[in-house]
Amino acid sequence: MLEQFVAVMPGTLAPALLVMSLSVMLTVGEGRDKPISSHWRLIGLTVGLIAATIFAGLRASAVINQRTFVNYPVLWCAIIADILTIVVVVFARRITTNWQQHKVFMHIANAVAAIDIALTLFYALPDVILQLTIWVGPGDPIFTSDMLLRALGFALGLAMSIIVAAIFRTMRSTAVRASFTAAVLAVLVILFVRHLTGVMQILQARGFPIGHTGFVALAWSINHNDWMIMAQAFVFLIPAVASVVAGFRMPLTGANEAIGRKHKAFRRRAVASAVWSLVAMIGVTLTLTVGVAATHQTITLSPPEAYSLKDGVATIPFSQVEDGHLHRFEYKAKDGTVMRFIIIRKNGGAYGIGLDACENCGDAGYYEKDGKIICKKCEVAINLATIGFKGGCNPIPFPYKTGHGKITIQTTDLDALSAHFQ
């Protein structure tokens, strides 16, 4: 349960904060007084969610085996949308004030917000949605206590992101407008940095020269991704403090008792919003520190074994891998990528052979525990019978031949799959 919670909450928090922030900054009027474009943000949310679900399904079924092919153009579009959304938020006050006099700007602002929401969801949610594929271990009954706990962890992670965003939203009526705007801008800048990091990762993997400074910046951003997620929550300390300060600056006594009561109510709301916001920030911090530490216990993969490699053919004798245990091998592809593949003798004498990587969890690798082959990242036990077949968390298969007491693998088949380790 904790594994699913820790995986889902960080992946859904940024989209939830983005939707909430743009809703606060661009919402005007009620009922018929609202611009027709106010529904575009909801459309962007729906389109992004549907597209992410379809993309996750294609990845899980191995129809798409290189997600960077899709993510690369999406990230560039997201970066442009992030910049335009930052501009929209900077001028949000002017856009929303007397918007009927300049409807076109209101419509443009909502269109930009809808596009940014859709692209952000499409990039962020597939990895979250793929958590749905590991609720039931291969060969296990559908309804088990483990499945229910995984489902509960998924639901709680999603619920926490929504609740955190909803708590921060309560400050819209008590915080000084400039303070809430500053927090939203900070959220958008951090989101821009995270999208830019994704692009730089792809460029660096493709051999594009990013320079020493660019590499240092990329490494810092990757290593501090959890800190950036926490920062997106902690920036709302700005409106929280501003709310409390504004509340205590209001006089509670005066000639008009009604105004005094109104000020008291405002102060109570401001303090309550600030306290709950602080609780939400602490919850996010604990999830990304204590929770992550508890679920990411270091597991060392077994060292690669020696094998014969000659004239573009890798040869492993049956005698080396017939004990029924996991055997790991390493190969350096033509493009310089260091790859790993695994071999295990299955029940019935057949061999399960595939990359030490899967479509869902990337090149995290597999390890053996209590006679089971387990994915290092998602902790799902792999059904031995399915090793060698596409889909889910199974090792990515590749062609090979058996006979004359040995397994032979053409290195050209491995070269073609090097992208899975980049």
Side-chain angles (χ1 to χ4, degrees):
M1 181 178 77
L2 184 59
E3 289 86 353
Q4 276 67 48
F5 178 81
V6 170
V8 171
M9 195 286 288
T12 55
L13 182 60
L17 292 178
L18 177 65
V19 173
M20 178 277 296
S21 297
L22 295 179
S23 173
V24 172
M25 300 304 298
L26 295 178
T27 295
V28 292
E30 295 181 0
R32 294 182 179 180
D33 293 332
K34 297 177 68 174
I36 189 173
S37 60
S38 63
H39 302 291
W40 295 354
R41 297 192 304 275
L42 179 59
I43 294 174
L45 174 66
T46 304
V47 170
L49 181 58
I50 293 174
T53 303
I54 294 174
F55 185 38
L58 293 175
R59 283 173 54 188
S61 59
V63 174
I64 294 179
N65 55 22
Q66 292 189 21
R67 58 183 176 180
T68 57
F69 177 77
V70 176
N71 284 341
Y72 185 65
V74 168
L75 281 169
W76 275 117
C77 294
I79 287 172
I80 296 172
D82 290 339
I83 296 172
L84 294 176
T85 304
I86 290 173
V87 174
V88 165
V89 170
V90 170
F91 294 99
R93 187 63 177 267
R94 296 183 183 180
I95 294 172
T96 56
T97 301
N98 299 322
W99 66 270
Q100 295 90 343
Q101 299 176 12
H102 42 261
K103 294 181 180 179
V104 64
F105 292 108
M106 190 75 235
H107 297 332
I108 291 174
N110 279 319
V112 169
I115 292 172
D116 201 26
I117 289 171
L119 292 171
T120 298
L121 263 67
F122 180 75
Y123 176 68
L125 292 190
D127 287 339
V128 173
I129 296 171
L130 285 171
Q131 292 293 317
L132 296 170
T133 65
I134 62 176
W135 284 5
V136 181
D140 292 341
I142 295 178
F143 295 104
T144 63
S145 58
D146 287 342
M147 183 279 290
L148 293 175
L149 287 175
R150 291 182 185 126
L152 180 60
F154 186 97
L156 289 176
L158 178 61
M160 181 172 178
S161 293
I162 296 173
I163 291 171
V164 167
I167 289 173
F168 292 155
R169 181 182 170 84
T170 61
M171 293 186 288
R172 71 191 186 281
S173 62
T174 57
V176 178
R177 171 88 182 196
S179 66
F180 202 94
T181 300
V184 172
L185 287 174
V187 168
L188 290 173
V189 169
I190 295 171
L191 186 64
F192 167 80
V193 171
R194 294 180 67 193
H195 286 159
L196 183 61
T197 299
V199 168
M200 291 180 66
Q201 279 185 280
I202 296 173
L203 290 174
Q204 195 270 339
R206 292 181 176 180
F208 186 85
I210 61 176
H212 176 71
T213 302
F215 182 80
V216 171
L218 174 62
W220 184 93
S221 182
I222 294 173
N223 293 332
H224 293 83
N225 182 61
D226 287 350
W227 289 97
M228 285 193 283
I229 297 174
M230 285 187 283
Q232 286 184 304
F234 270 89
V235 294
F236 285 93
L237 274 175
I238 301 172
V241 173
S243 296
V244 174
V245 171
F248 279 91
R249 281 183 174 179
M250 289 182 173
L252 301 182
T253 58
N256 192 325
E257 292 185 3
I259 293 178
R261 290 194 297 270
K262 183 178 179 181
H263 289 177
K264 286 182 180 179
F266 181 94
R267 181 182 293 184
R268 286 195 299 269
R269 292 199 308 272
V271 172
S273 295
V275 170
W276 280 110
S277 296
L278 184 60
V279 170
M281 295 170 201
I282 293 173
V284 172
T285 301
L286 290 176
T287 300
L288 293 172
T289 53
V290 178
V292 169
T295 58
H296 287 70
Q297 298 177 356
T298 302
I299 297 173
T300 303
L301 298 180
S302 60
E305 301 179 21
Y307 63 98
S308 172
L309 182 60
K310 185 177 180 181
D311 297 330
V313 179
T315 304
I316 299 98
F318 288 165
S319 59
Q320 186 176 349
V321 293
E322 66 181 2
D323 57 4
H325 292 293
L326 177 70
H327 296 266
R328 195 182 326 274
F329 303 88
E330 191 173 271
Y331 168 71
K332 187 172 184 179
K334 278 189 175 181
D335 60 8
T337 302
V338 177
M339 307 173 61
R340 302 185 310 274
F341 60 94
I342 59 174
I343 299 177
I344 185 170
R345 189 174 185 272
K346 302 191 289 186
N347 296 331
Y351 288 90
I353 302 175
L355 296 183
D356 196 21
C358 74
E359 301 291 350
N360 289 355
C361 302
D363 60 355
Y366 302 88
Y367 66 95
E368 184 177 354
K369 181 180 180 182
D370 298 330
K372 297 180 179 180
I373 306 303
I374 301 173
C375 175
K376 181 179 176 182
K377 183 174 181 179
C378 68
E379 296 294 324
V380 162
I382 309 302
N383 187 344
L384 289 182
T386 64
I387 296 180
F389 297 92
K390 291 183 178 181
C393 213
N394 286 331
I396 297 167
F398 55 82
Y400 65 91
K401 292 182 179 180
T402 59
H404 305 292
K406 60 186 177 182
I407 299 168
T408 56
I409 302 166
Q410 298 293 323
T411 58
T412 52
D413 292 326
L414 294 175
D415 292 332
L417 297 172
S418 64
H420 292 287
F421 290 87
Q422 294 176 354

